[in-house]
Amino acid sequence: MFVAFFIIWILLNGNIAIKTVLLGIAFSAILYAFACKFLDFSFKKDVRFIKNSFLFIAYGFVLLYNIFIANFKVMKVIIDPKDKPEPDIVHFKTEIKSSFIKALLANAITITPGTITVSIDADDVTVHCLKKKYMEGFKDALLYKILVRMDK
C-alpha cells in the first residue's frame, strides 16, 4: 500500500525531484500509518496481497473463460427447443473463511450466465441455477480451487 501511495504521489506531481521524492515518502508513510490504524490495513495483509497477485490474475482469466463457456450453454438452452431449462436451488458448503474471498465467489457465480448467488451464510452457499448440472462439480472446478488457495 505504501508503494501505491508513493507511485500515486509521483504521478500526480508530474516530476521527480529530490524534494518531491522526500515529500512523497513522508506523505505516503503518514497515509499508510493512517490506513493501518483506522482502515484495517497491515503490512502482513500487503505481503499476502503481493503473494496472491498471481492468483488474482489467474482468477480473472479463469472467470472470463467460464463466462465465455457459460454464454454458449445458456444460448443452447434458449435456442434448442429440446434443451429445456430445469431451474433449481443448489446448496453447498465452502471452506472459504475470508469475507472478501466469499464476495469474489458470490460475484463469480452471479456474473456467470445461468447461475445466481442467492445467499452466503457462514459456510453455506445457496445458488439458483438454470440447470442443476451447471453447479455439479463446482467445488472441483479450477475457479473454486483458486479461491480456496487465495483464502489460505
Side-chain angles (χ1 to χ4, degrees):
M1 183 63 90
F2 173 81
V3 174
F5 288 147
F6 182 70
I7 290 171
I8 291 169
W9 174 267
I10 295 297
L11 289 174
L12 291 176
N13 275 294
N15 65 2
I16 299 177
I18 301 278
K19 179 182 173 184
T20 306
V21 171
L22 292 176
L23 279 173
I25 290 171
F27 282 121
S28 298
I30 291 168
L31 277 173
Y32 186 70
F34 176 82
C36 288
K37 182 162 176 104
F38 297 109
L39 301 177
D40 196 32
F41 281 95
S42 69
F43 182 73
K44 183 179 177 182
K45 287 182 180 179
D46 284 347
V47 170
R48 183 175 172 203
F49 178 76
I50 291 169
K51 286 181 181 178
N52 283 340
S53 294
F54 173 74
L55 291 173
F56 277 109
I57 293 168
Y59 164 79
F61 282 116
V62 172
L63 179 60
L64 288 175
Y65 172 77
N66 286 345
I67 291 170
F68 182 77
I69 296 300
N71 275 310
F72 287 106
K73 289 180 179 180
V74 171
M75 278 193 301
K76 185 175 184 272
V77 169
I78 293 169
I79 294 171
D80 188 2
K82 296 175 191 166
D83 197 4
K84 301 282 184 201
E86 301 160 6
D88 200 2
I89 301 286
V90 177
H91 301 274
F92 68 91
K93 294 210 178 280
T94 181
E95 58 266 20
I96 296 171
K97 301 297 179 212
S98 165
S99 59
F100 175 70
I101 304 299
K102 284 181 185 178
L104 285 178
L105 172 66
N107 287 333
I109 291 170
T110 300
I111 201 170
T112 305
T115 56
I116 298 173
T117 305
V118 176
S119 71
I120 296 183
D121 296 315
D123 61 346
D124 295 321
V125 180
T126 306
V127 177
H128 178 273
C129 48
L130 195 58
K131 288 188 159 212
K132 189 171 184 171
K133 72 178 182 176
Y134 290 171
M135 287 302 295
E136 289 175 358
F138 179 73
K139 289 182 81 172
D140 296 324
L142 181 59
L143 184 76
Y144 184 76
K145 289 179 181 180
I146 290 172
L147 289 171
V148 169
R149 278 194 61 199
M150 289 167 76
D151 191 45
K152 294 188 186 218

PDB file of all heavy atoms in Angstrom, residues 104-129:
ATOM      1  N   LEU A 104     -15.887 -12.581  -3.679  1.00  0.00           N
ATOM      2  CA  LEU A 104     -15.404 -12.939  -5.017  1.00  0.00           C
ATOM      3  C   LEU A 104     -16.126 -14.175  -5.536  1.00  0.00           C
ATOM      4  O   LEU A 104     -16.499 -14.245  -6.717  1.00  0.00           O
ATOM      5  CB  LEU A 104     -13.892 -13.183  -5.000  1.00  0.00           C
ATOM      6  CG  LEU A 104     -12.977 -11.985  -4.922  1.00  0.00           C
ATOM      7  CD1 LEU A 104     -11.521 -12.438  -4.873  1.00  0.00           C
ATOM      8  CD2 LEU A 104     -13.190 -11.053  -6.089  1.00  0.00           C
ATOM      9  N   LEU A 105     -16.321 -15.154  -4.655  1.00  0.00           N
ATOM     10  CA  LEU A 105     -17.041 -16.377  -5.031  1.00  0.00           C
ATOM     11  C   LEU A 105     -18.469 -16.043  -5.458  1.00  0.00           C
ATOM     12  O   LEU A 105     -18.932 -16.480  -6.515  1.00  0.00           O
ATOM     13  CB  LEU A 105     -17.048 -17.365  -3.861  1.00  0.00           C
ATOM     14  CG  LEU A 105     -17.920 -18.609  -4.017  1.00  0.00           C
ATOM     15  CD1 LEU A 105     -17.383 -19.495  -5.130  1.00  0.00           C
ATOM     16  CD2 LEU A 105     -17.991 -19.380  -2.710  1.00  0.00           C
ATOM     17  N   ALA A 106     -19.162 -15.255  -4.639  1.00  0.00           N
ATOM     18  CA  ALA A 106     -20.549 -14.891  -4.948  1.00  0.00           C
ATOM     19  C   ALA A 106     -20.630 -14.111  -6.257  1.00  0.00           C
ATOM     20  O   ALA A 106     -21.517 -14.371  -7.088  1.00  0.00           O
ATOM     21  CB  ALA A 106     -21.134 -14.068  -3.806  1.00  0.00           C
ATOM     22  N   ASN A 107     -19.718 -13.189  -6.469  1.00  0.00           N
ATOM     23  CA  ASN A 107     -19.722 -12.404  -7.701  1.00  0.00           C
ATOM     24  C   ASN A 107     -19.400 -13.268  -8.911  1.00  0.00           C
ATOM     25  O   ASN A 107     -19.982 -13.082  -9.985  1.00  0.00           O
ATOM     26  CB  ASN A 107     -18.751 -11.234  -7.596  1.00  0.00           C
ATOM     27  CG  ASN A 107     -19.270 -10.152  -6.682  1.00  0.00           C
ATOM     28  OD1 ASN A 107     -20.463  -9.996  -6.516  1.00  0.00           O
ATOM     29  ND2 ASN A 107     -18.362  -9.415  -6.078  1.00  0.00           N
ATOM     30  N   ALA A 108     -18.471 -14.211  -8.750  1.00  0.00           N
ATOM     31  CA  ALA A 108     -18.121 -15.097  -9.860  1.00  0.00           C
ATOM     32  C   ALA A 108     -19.319 -15.951 -10.259  1.00  0.00           C
ATOM     33  O   ALA A 108     -19.588 -16.155 -11.447  1.00  0.00           O
ATOM     34  CB  ALA A 108     -16.941 -15.990  -9.471  1.00  0.00           C
ATOM     35  N   ILE A 109     -20.050 -16.438  -9.274  1.00  0.00           N
ATOM     36  CA  ILE A 109     -21.236 -17.252  -9.566  1.00  0.00           C
ATOM     37  C   ILE A 109     -22.307 -16.402 -10.236  1.00  0.00           C
ATOM     38  O   ILE A 109     -22.911 -16.796 -11.239  1.00  0.00           O
ATOM     39  CB  ILE A 109     -21.770 -17.909  -8.275  1.00  0.00           C
ATOM     40  CG1 ILE A 109     -20.780 -18.974  -7.784  1.00  0.00           C
ATOM     41  CG2 ILE A 109     -23.147 -18.519  -8.500  1.00  0.00           C
ATOM     42  CD1 ILE A 109     -21.080 -19.509  -6.405  1.00  0.00           C
ATOM     43  N   THR A 110     -22.538 -15.204  -9.709  1.00  0.00           N
ATOM     44  CA  THR A 110     -23.604 -14.349 -10.226  1.00  0.00           C
ATOM     45  C   THR A 110     -23.296 -13.804 -11.618  1.00  0.00           C
ATOM     46  O   THR A 110     -24.189 -13.704 -12.455  1.00  0.00           O
ATOM     47  CB  THR A 110     -23.864 -13.184  -9.240  1.00  0.00           C
ATOM     48  OG1 THR A 110     -24.252 -13.748  -7.986  1.00  0.00           O
ATOM     49  CG2 THR A 110     -24.953 -12.267  -9.737  1.00  0.00           C
ATOM     50  N   ILE A 111     -22.040 -13.477 -11.872  1.00  0.00           N
ATOM     51  CA  ILE A 111     -21.680 -12.893 -13.170  1.00  0.00           C
ATOM     52  C   ILE A 111     -21.649 -13.950 -14.276  1.00  0.00           C
ATOM     53  O   ILE A 111     -21.696 -13.617 -15.455  1.00  0.00           O
ATOM     54  CB  ILE A 111     -20.334 -12.145 -13.062  1.00  0.00           C
ATOM     55  CG1 ILE A 111     -20.197 -11.133 -14.183  1.00  0.00           C
ATOM     56  CG2 ILE A 111     -19.167 -13.095 -13.086  1.00  0.00           C
ATOM     57  CD1 ILE A 111     -19.023 -10.196 -14.016  1.00  0.00           C
ATOM     58  N   THR A 112     -21.595 -15.218 -13.903  1.00  0.00           N
ATOM     59  CA  THR A 112     -21.583 -16.295 -14.885  1.00  0.00           C
ATOM     60  C   THR A 112     -23.019 -16.589 -15.317  1.00  0.00           C
ATOM     61  O   THR A 112     -23.876 -16.848 -14.477  1.00  0.00           O
ATOM     62  CB  THR A 112     -20.939 -17.562 -14.284  1.00  0.00           C
ATOM     63  OG1 THR A 112     -19.638 -17.233 -13.801  1.00  0.00           O
ATOM     64  CG2 THR A 112     -20.830 -18.662 -15.310  1.00  0.00           C
ATOM     65  N   PRO A 113     -23.306 -16.524 -16.611  1.00  0.00           N
ATOM     66  CA  PRO A 113     -24.674 -16.748 -17.088  1.00  0.00           C
ATOM     67  C   PRO A 113     -25.218 -18.115 -16.647  1.00  0.00           C
ATOM     68  O   PRO A 113     -24.516 -19.117 -16.674  1.00  0.00           O
ATOM     69  CB  PRO A 113     -24.529 -16.702 -18.607  1.00  0.00           C
ATOM     70  CG  PRO A 113     -23.319 -15.862 -18.834  1.00  0.00           C
ATOM     71  CD  PRO A 113     -22.395 -16.185 -17.697  1.00  0.00           C
ATOM     72  N   GLY A 114     -26.480 -18.104 -16.217  1.00  0.00           N
ATOM     73  CA  GLY A 114     -27.144 -19.341 -15.825  1.00  0.00           C
ATOM     74  C   GLY A 114     -27.109 -19.615 -14.335  1.00  0.00           C
ATOM     75  O   GLY A 114     -27.737 -20.560 -13.869  1.00  0.00           O
ATOM     76  N   THR A 115     -26.392 -18.808 -13.566  1.00  0.00           N
ATOM     77  CA  THR A 115     -26.308 -19.014 -12.117  1.00  0.00           C
ATOM     78  C   THR A 115     -26.399 -17.679 -11.390  1.00  0.00           C
ATOM     79  O   THR A 115     -25.932 -16.662 -11.891  1.00  0.00           O
ATOM     80  CB  THR A 115     -24.983 -19.700 -11.713  1.00  0.00           C
ATOM     81  OG1 THR A 115     -23.892 -18.926 -12.205  1.00  0.00           O
ATOM     82  CG2 THR A 115     -24.893 -21.106 -12.258  1.00  0.00           C
ATOM     83  N   ILE A 116     -27.022 -17.700 -10.208  1.00  0.00           N
ATOM     84  CA  ILE A 116     -27.133 -16.506  -9.366  1.00  0.00           C
ATOM     85  C   ILE A 116     -26.916 -16.933  -7.920  1.00  0.00           C
ATOM     86  O   ILE A 116     -27.534 -17.888  -7.453  1.00  0.00           O
ATOM     87  CB  ILE A 116     -28.522 -15.841  -9.495  1.00  0.00           C
ATOM     88  CG1 ILE A 116     -28.751 -15.368 -10.916  1.00  0.00           C
ATOM     89  CG2 ILE A 116     -28.666 -14.693  -8.515  1.00  0.00           C
ATOM     90  CD1 ILE A 116     -30.148 -14.848 -11.171  1.00  0.00           C
ATOM     91  N   THR A 117     -26.071 -16.227  -7.212  1.00  0.00           N
ATOM     92  CA  THR A 117     -25.894 -16.489  -5.790  1.00  0.00           C
ATOM     93  C   THR A 117     -27.094 -15.921  -5.048  1.00  0.00           C
ATOM     94  O   THR A 117     -27.385 -14.733  -5.146  1.00  0.00           O
ATOM     95  CB  THR A 117     -24.604 -15.832  -5.264  1.00  0.00           C
ATOM     96  OG1 THR A 117     -23.506 -16.277  -6.042  1.00  0.00           O
ATOM     97  CG2 THR A 117     -24.367 -16.187  -3.806  1.00  0.00           C
ATOM     98  N   VAL A 118     -27.774 -16.775  -4.305  1.00  0.00           N
ATOM     99  CA  VAL A 118     -28.933 -16.345  -3.536  1.00  0.00           C
ATOM    100  C   VAL A 118     -28.471 -15.838  -2.172  1.00  0.00           C
ATOM    101  O   VAL A 118     -28.882 -14.766  -1.731  1.00  0.00           O
ATOM    102  CB  VAL A 118     -29.951 -17.492  -3.376  1.00  0.00           C
ATOM    103  CG1 VAL A 118     -31.106 -17.073  -2.489  1.00  0.00           C
ATOM    104  CG2 VAL A 118     -30.443 -17.952  -4.743  1.00  0.00           C
ATOM    105  N   SER A 119     -27.601 -16.613  -1.510  1.00  0.00           N
ATOM    106  CA  SER A 119     -27.100 -16.177  -0.204  1.00  0.00           C
ATOM    107  C   SER A 119     -25.822 -16.923   0.159  1.00  0.00           C
ATOM    108  O   SER A 119     -25.554 -18.011  -0.351  1.00  0.00           O
ATOM    109  CB  SER A 119     -28.152 -16.401   0.890  1.00  0.00           C
ATOM    110  OG  SER A 119     -28.298 -17.778   1.143  1.00  0.00           O
ATOM    111  N   ILE A 120     -25.070 -16.289   1.043  1.00  0.00           N
ATOM    112  CA  ILE A 120     -23.919 -16.924   1.679  1.00  0.00           C
ATOM    113  C   ILE A 120     -24.060 -16.654   3.168  1.00  0.00           C
ATOM    114  O   ILE A 120     -23.997 -15.511   3.604  1.00  0.00           O
ATOM    115  CB  ILE A 120     -22.576 -16.369   1.159  1.00  0.00           C
ATOM    116  CG1 ILE A 120     -22.397 -16.685  -0.309  1.00  0.00           C
ATOM    117  CG2 ILE A 120     -21.428 -16.949   1.956  1.00  0.00           C
ATOM    118  CD1 ILE A 120     -21.084 -16.235  -0.888  1.00  0.00           C
ATOM    119  N   ASP A 121     -24.308 -17.703   3.919  1.00  0.00           N
ATOM    120  CA  ASP A 121     -24.422 -17.610   5.372  1.00  0.00           C
ATOM    121  C   ASP A 121     -23.343 -18.488   5.987  1.00  0.00           C
ATOM    122  O   ASP A 121     -23.387 -19.718   5.846  1.00  0.00           O
ATOM    123  CB  ASP A 121     -25.799 -18.084   5.845  1.00  0.00           C
ATOM    124  CG  ASP A 121     -26.917 -17.193   5.329  1.00  0.00           C
ATOM    125  OD1 ASP A 121     -26.754 -15.963   5.396  1.00  0.00           O
ATOM    126  OD2 ASP A 121     -27.928 -17.728   4.855  1.00  0.00           O
ATOM    127  N   ALA A 122     -22.373 -17.847   6.669  1.00  0.00           N
ATOM    128  CA  ALA A 122     -21.233 -18.555   7.264  1.00  0.00           C
ATOM    129  C   ALA A 122     -20.551 -19.383   6.177  1.00  0.00           C
ATOM    130  O   ALA A 122     -19.920 -18.816   5.299  1.00  0.00           O
ATOM    131  CB  ALA A 122     -21.664 -19.380   8.457  1.00  0.00           C
ATOM    132  N   ASP A 123     -20.682 -20.700   6.222  1.00  0.00           N
ATOM    133  CA  ASP A 123     -20.038 -21.522   5.197  1.00  0.00           C
ATOM    134  C   ASP A 123     -21.053 -22.181   4.250  1.00  0.00           C
ATOM    135  O   ASP A 123     -20.698 -23.036   3.459  1.00  0.00           O
ATOM    136  CB  ASP A 123     -19.138 -22.582   5.846  1.00  0.00           C
ATOM    137  CG  ASP A 123     -19.909 -23.538   6.743  1.00  0.00           C
ATOM    138  OD1 ASP A 123     -21.060 -23.237   7.073  1.00  0.00           O
ATOM    139  OD2 ASP A 123     -19.344 -24.590   7.100  1.00  0.00           O
ATOM    140  N   ASP A 124     -22.312 -21.784   4.313  1.00  0.00           N
ATOM    141  CA  ASP A 124     -23.351 -22.305   3.421  1.00  0.00           C
ATOM    142  C   ASP A 124     -23.584 -21.339   2.255  1.00  0.00           C
ATOM    143  O   ASP A 124     -23.836 -20.164   2.462  1.00  0.00           O
ATOM    144  CB  ASP A 124     -24.674 -22.493   4.163  1.00  0.00           C
ATOM    145  CG  ASP A 124     -24.589 -23.557   5.239  1.00  0.00           C
ATOM    146  OD1 ASP A 124     -23.927 -24.575   4.987  1.00  0.00           O
ATOM    147  OD2 ASP A 124     -25.162 -23.351   6.321  1.00  0.00           O
ATOM    148  N   VAL A 125     -23.502 -21.873   1.043  1.00  0.00           N
ATOM    149  CA  VAL A 125     -23.729 -21.071  -0.161  1.00  0.00           C
ATOM    150  C   VAL A 125     -24.977 -21.609  -0.851  1.00  0.00           C
ATOM    151  O   VAL A 125     -25.120 -22.815  -1.052  1.00  0.00           O
ATOM    152  CB  VAL A 125     -22.517 -21.142  -1.116  1.00  0.00           C
ATOM    153  CG1 VAL A 125     -22.763 -20.318  -2.360  1.00  0.00           C
ATOM    154  CG2 VAL A 125     -21.248 -20.710  -0.424  1.00  0.00           C
ATOM    155  N   THR A 126     -25.885 -20.711  -1.202  1.00  0.00           N
ATOM    156  CA  THR A 126     -27.112 -21.080  -1.910  1.00  0.00           C
ATOM    157  C   THR A 126     -27.083 -20.421  -3.285  1.00  0.00           C
ATOM    158  O   THR A 126     -26.891 -19.214  -3.394  1.00  0.00           O
ATOM    159  CB  THR A 126     -28.357 -20.613  -1.127  1.00  0.00           C
ATOM    160  OG1 THR A 126     -28.285 -21.115   0.204  1.00  0.00           O
ATOM    161  CG2 THR A 126     -29.624 -21.098  -1.789  1.00  0.00           C
ATOM    162  N   VAL A 127     -27.282 -21.239  -4.310  1.00  0.00           N
ATOM    163  CA  VAL A 127     -27.193 -20.765  -5.691  1.00  0.00           C
ATOM    164  C   VAL A 127     -28.439 -21.200  -6.457  1.00  0.00           C
ATOM    165  O   VAL A 127     -28.876 -22.348  -6.350  1.00  0.00           O
ATOM    166  CB  VAL A 127     -25.933 -21.338  -6.386  1.00  0.00           C
ATOM    167  CG1 VAL A 127     -25.865 -20.908  -7.840  1.00  0.00           C
ATOM    168  CG2 VAL A 127     -24.669 -20.942  -5.655  1.00  0.00           C
ATOM    169  N   HIS A 128     -29.023 -20.268  -7.222  1.00  0.00           N
ATOM    170  CA  HIS A 128     -30.100 -20.596  -8.154  1.00  0.00           C
ATOM    171  C   HIS A 128     -29.453 -20.769  -9.513  1.00  0.00           C
ATOM    172  O   HIS A 128     -28.687 -19.916  -9.970  1.00  0.00           O
ATOM    173  CB  HIS A 128     -31.141 -19.473  -8.201  1.00  0.00           C
ATOM    174  CG  HIS A 128     -32.241 -19.743  -9.168  1.00  0.00           C
ATOM    175  ND1 HIS A 128     -32.141 -19.402 -10.495  1.00  0.00           N
ATOM    176  CD2 HIS A 128     -33.435 -20.340  -9.003  1.00  0.00           C
ATOM    177  CE1 HIS A 128     -33.251 -19.768 -11.110  1.00  0.00           C
ATOM    178  NE2 HIS A 128     -34.050 -20.343 -10.224  1.00  0.00           N
ATOM    179  N   CYS A 129     -29.760 -21.899 -10.151  1.00  0.00           N
ATOM    180  CA  CYS A 129     -29.161 -22.136 -11.470  1.00  0.00           C
ATOM    181  C   CYS A 129     -30.214 -22.564 -12.481  1.00  0.00           C
ATOM    182  O   CYS A 129     -31.249 -23.131 -12.124  1.00  0.00           O
ATOM    183  CB  CYS A 129     -28.032 -23.161 -11.378  1.00  0.00           C
ATOM    184  SG  CYS A 129     -28.412 -24.635 -10.470  1.00  0.00           S
TER     185      CYS A 129
END
